[in-house]
């Protein structure tokens, strides 16, 4: 399985939340967000060409939880 690591989560006023995660290059990953740890919404599905990616979640108006999932 591919490795994945949520490296940083930071609120950016006027933009939303900036999330940086890393994983094995060339694999498909999904970044999900939740406000209650029960219901999850996909923020993005992406391949990691260089092994790291930064994503802006513009819908993050309050506290949110994030997870990164690998797809075989």
């Amino acid at each position: 399985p591919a490795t994945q690591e949520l490296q940083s989560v930071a609120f950016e006023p006027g933009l939303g939340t900036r999330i940086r995660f890393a994983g094995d290059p060339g694999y498909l990953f999904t970044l999900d967000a939740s406000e209650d740890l029960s219901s999850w919404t996909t923020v993005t599905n992406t391949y990691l060409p260089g092994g790291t990616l930064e994503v802006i979640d513009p819908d993050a108006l309050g506290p949110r939880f994030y997870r990164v999932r690998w797809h075989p």
Side-chain angles (χ1 to χ4, degrees), residues 29-72:
F29 291 89
T30 297
L31 175 66
D32 297 320
S34 175
E35 295 177 4
D36 60 10
L37 293 175
S38 294
S39 300
W40 292 91
T41 302
T42 298
V43 176
T44 190
N45 291 302
T46 187
Y47 288 91
L48 297 181
T52 62
L53 184 68
E54 284 192 0
V55 175
I56 298 289
D57 179 4
D59 297 329
L61 302 176
R64 294 182 100 179
F65 300 95
Y66 292 94
R67 70 180 180 190
V68 177
R69 298 182 291 127
W70 164 71
H71 296 276

